[in-house]
Amino acid sequence: MIGIFQAKIKMFIRSPWVFVMMTAMSIGFALIIGGTGAYTAITVPVYTTSEGIQNSIIGDILEDSDTYTFVWSSEAEVMEQLSSNKAEAGAALGEDNFQMIVGVETPSAKIIEQTIEEAYAKQAQYEHIVAASGATTVAGQKAILDELQASIAAPVFNIEVENFRGEDAFIYDNTFQTLFGFTLFFAIYTIAYNVLPILVEKKEGIWDRIILSPVKKWEMYVANLVYSFLVGYLQVGIIFSVFRFIIGVDFHGRFIETLLLMSVYVFAIVALSILLTAIVKTVAQFNAVLPIIAVSSAMIGGAYWPLEIVESKFLITLSKLNPITYGMEMLNGAVVYQYPLKELLFPISILLLMGVVFIGIGIHLMERRHI
Amino acid sequence: MLELVDLSKKFKHMYAVKNLNMFIEKGEIIGLLGPNGAGKSTAISMLSSLIEPTEGDVRFHNKSIIKNPAPLRKIIGVVPQEIALYEDLTAEENLQFFGKIYRLKGQLLKRKVDEVLEQIGLTDRRRDIVKTFSGGMKRRLNIGVAMLHEPELIIMDEPTVGIDPQSRNYILETVKRLNQEKQMTVLYTSHYMEEVEYLCDRIYIMDKGNMIASGTKDEIKRILSAEKTILIQAELLNDTFINFLHENPTINRVIKEEKEITIMVPKEINIFPILVKMAEDAKIELNSVDIKIPTLEDVFLHLTGRALRD
Ligand SMILES: Nc1ncnc2c1ncn2[C@@H]1O[C@H](COP(=O)(O)OP(=O)(O)OP(=O)(O)O)[C@@H](O)[C@H]1O
Ligand SMILES: [Mg+2]
């Protein structure tokens, strides 16, 4: 087993090009499309009819957004920006409600709308709390608000704060969306191409040679699985480390957790690759099928754009069978939503289950079909 | 030592091997001969426990290996028909890898690798990546890998296809030497008659999944004792002449190639005057008419009516 493993490592070191390319592409795409949150924020012009909004909680929340830069403008400016296509969407903010001003219906517009909606929802919640606290003086109310703000900003969330967030509030963070999306997407290629040699070795008779040797069947599979897992995991580790330590994306303090969670995803993808390798008959078929699977999974799994904006029932159902969906859910849950591990157990167990089932079926198929 | 009993293998609806009976004794070099698709590789896969027969049994020292292949696997080395090597590793690394999976290590592994490299004549290319090797060098390494663990029985599936005569001779010599010096038992598959004739003590001939002849070289050639093989060469062979040959009841077989025709006739018949008359009638000119010394190729021709290689 160790021998097989060593041979694989040797060959990997000798031609690491697929690996290097996929890693570089993940980093490159995530950087170009996602940016690091600082300079790619989309500008959204807004105007208001009521003076107080800009300094209210709504104003604060909008200004805090990482994804969008809300620019206070006049109505005329907003219209001008939209008609000249300088902005995708704008909004008119009222006291208790707002109106979207949209040039063309785009995914971003939807997300902007959700972002603003959320700000209003928060404001309402704050008001309820302040009202419930019974503070009557302006100073007293302000103290409570400050306390609230502070507890939200604090890195450790307590139950109290969690309640503040509505069940299905949707946070869109472009940096992590693209970083996670492209990492999950390109990892499929790296892993699949490191599982593929099983097929090649079977065809070429290397596998038969090993079968005739004292090496056990399970050792052959374990060596291959462990190797593919490690290569996939190494790639993820490199990508995340580059973003964490070189580019300076902070993962909201959950870098280690993110890495650990990725092991589950990598495992599921190794399993998927085994299944794929068992189903196809030739390398050519594999080469044809892999991009279809990878790209379509990425599309319906929310790697390219957030699943939250997908409306088709059919696609949503399909996404439930897709490891990327759960990978994104897990990573976004951990980093963007800051969920505790307990709340991530669902996607984690689905991925583990998928892994076990895929490997089971995959190995069964491989064993049944000789050569 | 090893025995195949009524062995058959069916793929979908076609028998690749049908009712094969065969035995191999220690120290022998056995030839397994047959044209493309005869079922040689399938037979070898079954007898080396890589695929399960549909019917029949493989017995090693009188015990079936179908359920328990371990004792057989311990003593065989298989040289597959296709090159089965890691193309991205060097010759030496390949040998080390396949040595390791046979539990060789340390000094012993090193010594065996050196020894095999010497035997297959690749010592000075040991650090080169296999991908850069010529076909013949790959073939030699393909054989070398199967010899590392000093198998008692080595099974070679067409080890010489597609390589130059020099490499081919080298391989044949190596096989012969291993047999003589190390008493290695060899099962040698080929569709080259000359190789099998040169190497083997006993020969099995397969065609279309069936065993069509078996025995020592002499025994097999004696199959032809009642017939003689005649080679006719002529300019501008025409159909009339060929038809005459086919129509003549004393001629058993007619095999036409581009500029020559091989026919088989019973020993006692004097065919020369008949041939000359036919040529006259068909208005062609005979260049030569020779009686051939029978070869295994002729045996195959006799048995199947087809040339071994087409
Ligand atoms: N896995 C398989 N599935 C279906 N048919 C097969 C399979 N393997 C072999 N065959 C068929 O069985 C027959 C015998 O094939 P085999 O490879 O044993 O012949 P061979 O004597 O080794 O020929 P060659 O000289 O070309 O190597 C062929 O008709 C082949 O198409
Ligand atoms: Mg063959």
Side-chain angles (χ1 to χ4, degrees):
Chain A
M1 184 158 92
I2 303 294
I4 299 179
F5 196 71
Q6 284 171 339
K8 297 250 160 206
I9 300 276
K10 236 182 233 158
M11 285 183 276
F12 173 70
I13 292 171
R14 206 150 286 166
S15 54
W17 308 121
V18 171
F19 178 84
V20 170
M21 206 169 75
M22 292 305 159
T23 311
M25 296 236 276
S26 306
I27 296 176
F29 274 98
L31 265 186
I32 294 163
I33 297 174
T36 55
Y39 47 83
T40 54
I42 297 168
T43 304
V44 181
V46 291
Y47 72 91
T48 173
T49 44
S50 108
E51 279 305 303
I53 297 289
Q54 190 166 351
N55 298 320
S56 73
I57 294 162
I58 296 175
D60 286 349
I61 293 173
L62 293 184
E63 272 165 20
D64 276 353
S65 164
D66 288 338
T67 331
Y68 302 103
T69 312
F70 289 93
V71 181
W72 300 98
S73 336
S74 69
E75 184 173 355
E77 281 169 338
V78 173
M79 294 307 172
E80 201 277 320
Q81 298 244 328
L82 283 176
S83 56
S84 61
N85 281 332
K86 283 193 190 115
E88 281 185 60
L93 308 179
E95 190 92 40
D96 306 309
N97 52 38
F98 67 98
Q99 197 182 357
M100 288 297 292
I101 305 162
V102 181
V104 198
E105 194 69 42
T106 63
S108 306
K110 230 187 173 69
I111 298 164
I112 293 167
E113 182 173 353
Q114 291 194 30
T115 311
I116 301 177
E117 215 165 63
E118 211 180 296
Y120 275 83
K122 254 185 205 162
Q123 146 124 323
Q125 280 178 326
Y126 281 27
E127 277 167 359
H128 283 308
I129 287 169
V130 172
S133 75
T136 43
T137 61
V138 173
Q141 289 179 350
K142 182 150 178 18
I144 288 170
L145 279 182
D146 285 349
E147 208 174 300
L148 269 173
Q149 307 267 30
S151 62
I152 286 170
V156 181
F157 279 121
N158 46 37
I159 294 162
E160 223 182 325
V161 174
E162 234 192 309
N163 288 338
F164 273 105
R165 204 189 307 112
E167 266 304 309
D168 42 25
F170 161 54
I171 306 176
Y172 177 74
D173 186 316
N174 199 33
T175 306
F176 290 113
Q177 168 66 33
T178 44
L179 170 57
F180 295 154
F182 284 112
T183 304
L184 297 191
F185 173 62
F186 284 111
I188 297 183
Y189 285 92
T190 304
I191 295 169
Y193 276 109
N194 277 291
V195 170
L196 177 63
I198 296 184
L199 182 68
V200 180
E201 284 170 23
K202 285 193 150 195
K203 278 253 145 53
E204 290 180 347
I206 295 179
W207 198 258
D208 279 347
R209 282 200 143 141
I210 305 177
I211 287 175
L212 290 178
S213 79
V215 174
K216 301 273 188 307
K217 240 327 172 4
W218 66 264
E219 292 180 284
M220 298 162 68
Y221 281 114
V222 170
N224 273 288
L225 291 181
V226 169
Y227 163 76
S228 313
F229 177 85
L230 288 182
V231 172
Y233 203 49
L234 178 67
Q235 169 169 338
V236 172
I238 291 177
I239 297 169
F240 284 5
S241 298
V242 165
F243 274 84
R244 172 75 186 82
F245 299 110
I246 298 179
I247 299 169
V249 172
D250 67 351
F251 287 77
H252 298 331
R254 303 197 76 173
F255 180 66
I256 300 295
E257 287 91 329
T258 316
L259 273 187
L260 290 178
L261 286 173
M262 275 309 280
S263 64
V264 184
Y265 174 78
V266 171
F267 167 70
I269 296 302
V270 169
L272 179 68
S273 309
I274 295 268
L275 181 60
L276 182 62
T277 310
I279 293 172
V280 300
K281 291 205 175 65
T282 61
V283 175
Q285 280 179 5
F286 184 89
N287 287 334
V289 172
L290 181 63
I292 298 175
I293 291 194
V295 172
S296 60
S297 311
M299 286 200 289
I300 60 174
Y304 294 155
W305 46 73
L307 257 192
E308 281 79 358
I309 64 167
V310 175
E311 273 173 358
S312 151
K313 278 245 159 52
F314 176 67
L315 288 185
I316 297 280
T317 313
L318 264 189
S319 74
K320 302 272 186 261
L321 302 168
N322 180 348
I324 289 194
T325 311
Y326 299 99
M328 290 302 284
E329 196 175 320
M330 201 169 66
L331 294 178
N332 279 326
V335 176
V336 180
Y337 292 94
Q338 296 275 315
Y339 288 156
L341 180 69
K342 203 178 71 201
E343 287 194 37
L344 301 173
L345 281 180
F346 178 68
I348 292 176
S349 29
I350 296 275
L351 284 176
L352 287 177
L353 183 71
M354 279 184 173
V356 172
V357 171
F358 290 166
I359 288 189
I361 300 177
I363 291 184
H364 177 76
L365 287 179
M366 279 195 199
E367 285 302 302
R368 220 187 41 180
R369 172 150 52 87
H370 181 77
I371 306 170
Chain B
M1 166 158 101
L2 192 66
E3 205 182 350
L4 313 190
V5 188
D6 287 330
L7 206 59
S8 300
K9 179 75 196 181
K10 201 170 168 181
F11 288 116
K12 304 244 169 64
H13 301 291
M14 180 206 71
Y15 276 98
V17 170
K18 192 135 207 265
N19 292 332
L20 190 64
N21 285 287
M22 208 171 143
F23 67 93
I24 302 170
E25 294 301 343
K26 194 161 175 42
E28 283 184 309
I29 304 187
I30 302 290
L32 180 57
L33 202 63
N36 289 140
K40 306 181 296 293
S41 299
T42 308
I44 281 183
S45 293
M46 285 192 283
L47 81 79
S48 54
S49 79
L50 283 171
I51 61 174
E52 262 191 48
T54 317
E55 291 140 43
D57 199 3
V58 180
R59 304 181 71 77
F60 175 59
H61 290 312
N62 268 325
K63 288 202 187 69
S64 172
I65 59 127
I66 290 169
K67 284 282 156 312
N68 178 23
L72 175 72
R73 285 181 179 178
K74 228 176 258 156
I75 62 112
I76 57 171
V78 177
V79 180
Q81 181 168 358
E82 308 295 332
I83 309 272
L85 300 167
Y86 286 112
E87 296 252 326
D88 291 321
L89 297 181
T90 64
E92 191 173 14
E93 285 165 344
N94 265 288
L95 290 170
Q96 282 165 348
F97 170 77
F98 288 106
K100 269 188 213 152
I101 64 172
Y102 275 95
R103 310 264 191 265
L104 298 173
K105 41 175 155 326
Q107 281 305 308
L108 178 64
L109 175 63
K110 202 168 157 336
R111 214 185 57 231
K112 288 304 304 176
V113 168
D114 290 343
E115 197 179 303
V116 168
L117 281 168
E118 200 61 46
Q119 276 169 338
I120 57 177
L122 286 177
T123 304
D124 49 339
R125 299 293 303 265
R126 61 191 299 163
R127 289 194 217 293
D128 290 347
I129 305 239
V130 172
K131 235 189 315 212
T132 66
F133 279 12
S134 73
M137 297 196 305
K138 285 182 194 169
R139 285 263 159 220
R140 267 140 60 185
L141 186 58
N142 201 34
I143 296 170
V145 162
M147 305 191 316
L148 269 173
H149 61 292
E150 299 191 348
E152 280 177 46
L153 167 63
I154 192 161
I155 300 171
M156 308 175 114
D157 196 350
E158 306 196 31
T160 56
V161 254
I163 63 176
D164 62 74
Q166 214 178 331
S167 285
R168 193 165 153 195
N169 285 342
Y170 194 93
I171 290 172
L172 295 181
E173 289 311 319
T174 312
V175 172
K176 197 132 208 172
R177 208 176 53 234
L178 284 170
N179 173 257
Q180 278 161 0
E181 290 171 9
K182 306 209 161 170
Q183 281 72 52
M184 199 179 271
T185 312
V186 182
L187 174 63
Y188 192 96
T189 302
S190 178
H191 54 202
Y192 291 107
M193 292 287 182
E194 318 84 86
E195 290 183 354
V196 176
E197 253 186 297
Y198 167 76
L199 276 178
C200 302
D201 311 310
R202 282 193 305 120
I203 294 159
Y204 291 90
I205 303 180
M206 286 183 76
D207 184 41
K208 296 182 174 162
N210 297 302
M211 183 73 78
I212 53 173
S214 65
T216 63
K217 252 184 287 195
D218 292 335
E219 280 169 354
I220 288 192
K221 283 186 189 169
R222 233 173 284 143
I223 295 174
L224 292 182
S225 57
E227 282 188 327
K228 54 191 172 189
T229 308
I230 293 164
L231 188 69
I232 305 164
Q233 288 178 314
E235 290 299 324
L236 304 167
L237 279 170
N238 61 19
D239 290 344
T240 325
F241 183 65
I242 310 250
N243 281 340
F244 286 152
L245 291 176
H246 277 296
E247 281 158 14
N248 189 303
T250 53
I251 300 177
N252 291 341
R253 291 199 182 280
V254 181
I255 295 103
K256 181 187 177 297
E257 269 149 295
E258 208 171 304
K259 281 198 158 172
E260 53 182 46
I261 300 177
T262 309
I263 58 170
M264 286 182 175
V265 291
K267 264 229 162 92
E268 62 281 2
I269 303 277
N270 183 3
I271 198 79
F272 287 92
I274 302 171
L275 287 177
V276 172
K277 172 119 189 7
M278 281 180 184
E280 261 173 33
D281 293 348
K283 300 193 173 55
I284 62 166
E285 204 170 313
L286 293 178
N287 285 353
S288 72
V289 174
D290 292 318
I291 297 190
K292 283 209 306 191
I293 299 163
T295 63
L296 284 174
E297 196 107 31
D298 301 322
V299 175
F300 190 80
L301 217 58
H302 166 82
L303 291 169
T304 67
R306 286 177 291 118
L308 196 51
R309 273 163 284 148
D310 27 25

